[in-house]
Amino acid sequence: MKESNSSPMASVGPSSDEKNEAKEINTKRQSLVNQHSQNEHHFHKVGIPPRQKLFKEFASTFKETFFADDPLRPFKDQPQSRKLVLGIQAIFPILEWGRSYNLKKLKGDLIAGLTIASLCIPQDIGYAKLANLDPQYGLYSSFVPPLIYAFMGSSRDIAIGPVAVVSLLLGTLLQNEIDPTKNPVEYRRLAFTATFFAGITQVTLGFFRLGFLIDFLSHAAIVGFMGGAAITIALQQLKGFLGIKKFTKKTDIISVMHSVWGSVHHGWNWQTIVIGASFLAFLLFAKYIGKKNRKFFWVPAIAPLISVVLATFFVYITHAEKHGVQIVKNIEKGINPSSVKEIYFTGDYLLKGFRIGIVAGMIALTEAIAIGRTFAAMKDYQLDGNKEMVALGAMNVVGSMTSCYVATGSFSRSAVNYMAGCQTAVSNIIMSFVVFLTLEFITPLFKYTPNAILSSIIISAVIGLIDYDAAILIWKIDKLDFVACLGAFLGVIFASVEIGLLIAVAISFAKILLQVTRPRTAILGKIPRTAVYRNIQQYPDAKKVPGILIVRVDSAIYFSNSNYIKERILRWLRDEEEQLKAAYLPQPQIKSLLVEMSPVTDIDTSGIHALEELHKSLQKRDVQLVLANPGPVVIDKLHSSGFANLIGEDRIFLNVAEAVSSCSPKLVEEV
């Protein structure tokens, strides 16, 4: 009966469960609205770092620029006597690692030292000819400099001596000033002067911690320069390889090939060609064996010395020199004579030697540091670049006073040194001792050594400088880098070594200027189901925020790029507005322009002025300027300049997500 008395409308009304569910939904919705309302008013404020005193700020910047590795850390909290010991060890690292030296390490260094000595002796004689100097000067440069480096250098693996590229560069630059045939004494004196200033340049860069300057020559430019120099060196060896007596002094490929083919009928000597070709094939086969099996690393190392011994013996018993085969003739016996009085400290040749020395010193430094870092990484130890520069410079300064020309780290010898199991720089001392014995007792035996075998040794050595794999990798990674590589390569081959070097430096600087003056910018979009904003080109799923254009600037904003950045942002805005009009989307269009500033590490007065102009331009379009995540340096300068007050501190946000939430609350409600 109770059921019959109930009203029929009651069955139509909502049940208690439905009422509770609706109430729960309303509660959640109200909670979300309240939470959003709270978030609207509680955005994180961008922190402003405390102001530093001028001197403290300058000192901090100076330390990070020149003493980033904190070289004085070992001296902290040490007594004066200990600081003195540490200071001496810093200059002469051998005093530090020498205390733990033992017979096991000596065994490795002895084998490595003897192996690289067998490689360096024939190479040194050939490289001296490449520098237009008498053969003994190449041997001199593998006697004194390695000894100095062993005491002052920090690399365990680098092998010191003359190298092909620096020898060619030095020979080319010197003969542009003095003819080595007509004025051999003046030429030699200028070579010692250039070596002296090469050493001074290297010491100066290391002492004042300016090693970062050599990094301006990019890896790509070095690869191209080395490859071009290798081909140029190989072409220069055709004179000795073919037995040509009259040969061009120019190094470009056109002049060399004209000289080679111009003397094909009356200048080539078939006996010389047979000797050169036979031993070149032997040397290349030895290198092949060494590459196929690392256990036979000693085969390509000892092959040049074996070639010299066999070729010299063959010429001696057959008297091939009487049939047109050119030989080394006499090599002066004895160790390095003093050359202090031969260095030009006054006169016209002083500046010429200074200029040539700077160029040769920088190239020698670049090669040595690159080699040292390579092997240090392979053995997992730290290499102090500035100490290396001081050591290399000191050995060249001393070398210039003991009849040496520019020496540096040799990649081929260092690789052999590494594979032979060297433990410390003592391998350089052992190599130097072997060269000393050679100068004292063995040099007369090189009298009948044919020039063809020296040419073959140099050709086989420089082939390794042509790094095809690196060039291909550069092409795959960065086309602009490949332009630098190709420019340096072609410059060396078709012009000269100095022109190629100039092109390499110019393209490296041009790339830096291009990256600084034309930095990248990107449009950001929101990745679905996240609060993350990324480049829409890298992430196609990222969606643009309606009414907001988000632009990221990927560089510091300086006078060199500030105007470009301003114009590029405005161009992004125009492009976006045109796309919206073309899509017939309802008005209004863009209401806020959000600049993501996390990659902007710094900004100067020109950059702030550009932002002010951008703000004015946007005001005319009725578009609001918003900034997100400026760094400590940037936000400090924005406040100091008054720009933060100009746009409003409430328009500077901690991140993009908060900025979007503030500028487009409707979007957040929809989400």
Side-chain angles (χ1 to χ4, degrees):
M1 293 298 293
K2 287 181 181 179
E3 291 180 2
S4 59
N5 292 335
S6 61
S7 172
M9 294 298 295
S11 62
V12 179
S15 66
S16 59
D17 291 339
E18 290 175 339
K19 287 181 180 179
N20 291 334
E21 185 177 351
K23 186 176 180 180
E24 185 177 347
I25 291 172
N26 288 332
T27 303
K28 287 183 177 180
R29 185 177 297 169
Q30 186 63 39
S31 175
L32 286 172
V33 171
N34 292 337
Q35 183 179 2
H36 171 62
S37 178
Q38 289 176 359
N39 288 339
E40 278 190 318
H41 300 287
H42 291 88
F43 292 119
H44 295 91
K45 190 175 181 181
V46 177
I48 304 172
R51 300 296 297 272
Q52 287 186 332
K53 294 182 179 180
L54 180 62
F55 178 77
K56 188 176 181 180
E57 185 177 358
F58 174 78
S60 176
T61 304
F62 182 84
K63 180 181 177 181
E64 283 302 313
T65 302
F66 297 100
F67 300 94
D69 56 345
D70 196 10
L72 300 179
R73 178 185 293 270
F75 294 85
K76 290 181 179 178
D77 303 323
Q78 297 290 341
Q80 290 296 327
S81 58
R82 181 59 182 164
K83 287 181 179 179
L84 179 62
V85 172
L86 290 173
I88 296 172
Q89 288 179 348
I91 300 172
F92 302 104
I94 192 172
L95 298 177
E96 181 180 0
W97 56 260
R99 293 184 300 172
S100 60
Y101 199 73
N102 52 43
L103 287 175
K104 184 180 179 181
K105 291 181 179 179
L106 177 61
K107 180 183 176 182
D109 288 335
L110 182 62
I111 295 172
L114 293 174
T115 307
I116 59 176
S118 66
L119 176 63
C120 86
I121 291 169
Q123 281 188 350
D124 291 344
I125 296 172
Y127 292 159
K129 284 186 170 291
L130 204 59
N132 301 314
L133 293 166
D134 293 332
Q136 65 268 19
Y137 293 102
L139 295 172
Y140 292 162
S141 301
S142 280
F143 172 46
V144 173
L147 287 175
I148 304 298
Y149 181 84
F151 282 86
M152 300 186 67
S154 57
S155 174
R156 306 171 194 166
D157 305 279
I158 198 168
I160 298 298
V163 296
V165 174
V166 176
S167 298
L168 174 69
L169 177 65
L170 196 64
T172 304
L173 295 175
L174 290 173
Q175 74 177 3
N176 289 341
E177 305 296 339
I178 301 174
D179 190 326
T181 306
K182 295 179 180 178
N183 301 297
V185 176
E186 287 80 1
Y187 180 89
R188 187 174 65 245
R189 291 186 64 187
L190 186 60
F192 296 151
T193 304
T195 302
F196 175 79
F197 284 111
I200 292 295
T201 300
Q202 293 167 341
V203 170
T204 302
L205 290 175
F207 183 78
F208 290 105
R209 309 189 67 80
L210 300 174
F212 59 86
L213 292 177
I214 65 173
D215 293 331
F216 281 97
L217 196 60
S218 69
H219 171 69
I222 292 173
V223 169
F225 175 76
M226 289 294 187
I231 292 177
T232 301
I233 291 167
L235 290 173
Q236 289 288 306
Q237 299 315 301
L238 292 177
K239 176 186 178 183
F241 190 84
L242 302 174
I244 301 171
K245 293 182 179 179
K246 293 183 179 179
F247 200 75
T248 180
K249 292 183 179 180
K250 296 180 180 179
T251 59
D252 64 282
I253 188 171
I254 296 174
S255 299
V256 171
M257 296 312 296
H258 183 270
S259 183
V260 169
W261 294 111
S263 57
V264 65
H265 295 296
H266 57 274
W268 292 18
N269 181 274
W270 70 267
Q271 293 96 332
T272 301
I273 296 172
V274 169
I275 294 172
S278 301
F279 284 103
L280 178 60
F282 169 70
L283 291 167
L284 294 177
F285 180 68
K287 287 187 102 175
Y288 174 77
I289 292 175
K291 283 186 177 181
K292 288 290 288 184
N293 193 333
R294 290 175 65 91
K295 292 181 180 179
F296 297 110
F297 69 89
W298 52 271
V299 174
I302 202 170
L305 188 59
I306 293 174
S307 300
V308 168
V309 172
L310 293 177
T312 303
F313 180 71
F314 175 77
V315 171
Y316 177 73
I317 63 173
T318 61
H319 294 287
E321 77 279 3
K322 295 180 180 179
H323 299 281
V325 175
Q326 298 177 38
I327 59 175
V328 172
K329 297 180 182 177
N330 292 324
I331 299 179
E332 286 188 17
K333 186 179 177 181
I335 61 172
N336 310 32
S338 174
S339 56
V340 177
K341 295 181 179 179
E342 295 190 41
I343 299 174
Y344 287 111
F345 290 110
T346 57
D348 296 336
Y349 288 129
L350 172 63
L351 290 177
K352 292 177 180 179
F354 178 72
R355 178 178 57 83
I356 295 170
I358 289 177
V359 175
M362 292 291 283
I363 294 299
L365 204 57
T366 302
E367 187 171 356
I369 296 298
I371 293 168
R373 286 174 178 170
T374 299
F375 289 106
M378 292 170 69
K379 284 192 174 180
D380 193 26
Y381 65 89
Q382 293 295 322
L383 189 74
D384 189 328
N386 291 294
K387 282 185 182 178
E388 283 294 286
M389 292 176 196
V390 173
L392 292 165
M395 78 179 190
N396 278 315
V397 170
V398 175
S400 69
M401 299 178 182
T402 52
S403 301
C404 303
Y405 74 96
V406 181
T408 187
S410 167
F411 187 81
S412 60
R413 273 179 251 177
S414 299
V416 171
N417 197 31
Y418 170 79
M419 290 187 288
C422 71
Q423 298 296 315
T424 66
V426 170
S427 60
N428 275 291
I429 298 176
I430 293 167
M431 178 192 72
S432 179
F433 180 70
V434 174
V435 173
F436 163 75
L437 294 177
T438 303
L439 286 166
E440 282 290 347
F441 305 108
I442 305 175
T443 48
L445 300 179
F446 291 112
K447 179 179 179 179
Y448 290 97
T449 301
N451 289 339
I453 186 60
L454 300 177
S455 297
S456 299
I457 290 170
I458 292 174
I459 291 171
S460 67
V462 299
I463 285 175
L465 295 177
I466 306 173
D467 197 342
Y468 304 99
D469 295 333
I472 293 171
L473 185 63
I474 290 167
W475 166 259
K476 290 179 179 179
I477 295 175
D478 193 328
K479 301 299 185 289
L480 190 59
D481 254 359
F482 185 77
V483 171
C485 178
L486 188 64
F489 178 79
L490 296 177
V492 173
I493 290 179
F494 287 100
S496 63
V497 177
E498 58 265 36
I499 295 296
L501 181 61
L502 185 63
I503 291 173
V505 173
I507 294 178
S508 297
F509 270 100
K511 184 182 178 184
I512 294 172
L513 290 174
L514 185 64
Q515 291 174 338
V516 170
T517 58
R518 294 294 182 267
R520 297 180 185 275
T521 57
I523 298 296
L524 305 186
K526 185 175 182 292
I527 295 179
R529 296 180 298 279
T530 71
V532 178
Y533 293 80
R534 290 293 183 266
N535 188 340
I536 60 174
Q537 290 184 342
Q538 184 179 1
Y539 298 91
D541 293 340
K543 303 297 182 183
K544 296 179 181 178
V545 180
I548 304 175
L549 179 64
I550 308 173
V551 181
R552 188 183 67 209
V553 179
D554 293 334
S555 167
I557 305 177
Y558 292 129
F559 65 93
S560 57
N561 61 21
S562 58
N563 189 61
Y564 168 79
I565 290 173
K566 180 196 71 175
E567 295 295 337
R568 188 66 186 92
I569 291 175
L570 290 174
R571 184 148 49 94
W572 278 122
L573 180 61
R574 288 194 298 269
D575 293 344
E576 187 69 15
E577 289 175 342
E578 290 174 1
Q579 290 178 12
L580 292 174
K581 288 180 181 178
Y584 299 104
L585 293 177
Q587 301 293 331
Q589 308 275 334
I590 301 298
K591 284 297 182 183
S592 297
L593 190 146
L594 170 57
V595 181
E596 152 69 311
M597 301 190 74
S598 55
V600 181
T601 56
D602 200 356
I603 189 169
D604 64 2
T605 51
S606 298
I608 293 174
H609 184 64
L611 290 180
E612 291 173 350
E613 292 181 347
L614 176 65
H615 177 60
K616 292 178 183 178
S617 299
L618 294 177
Q619 281 184 321
K620 295 177 182 178
R621 295 167 175 261
D622 196 23
V623 176
Q624 192 174 44
L625 177 62
V626 181
L627 305 181
N629 196 23
V633 176
V634 175
I635 190 65
D636 181 48
K637 292 184 179 181
L638 293 179
H639 277 274
S640 298
S641 64
F643 182 77
N645 294 329
L646 179 65
I647 65 171
E649 291 190 20
D650 59 337
R651 297 295 88 192
I652 303 177
F653 296 89
L654 183 65
N655 54 48
V656 175
E658 289 190 359
V660 171
S661 299
S662 174
C663 298
S664 185
K666 185 178 179 182
L667 175 67
V668 178
E669 289 177 6
E670 290 175 356
V671 174

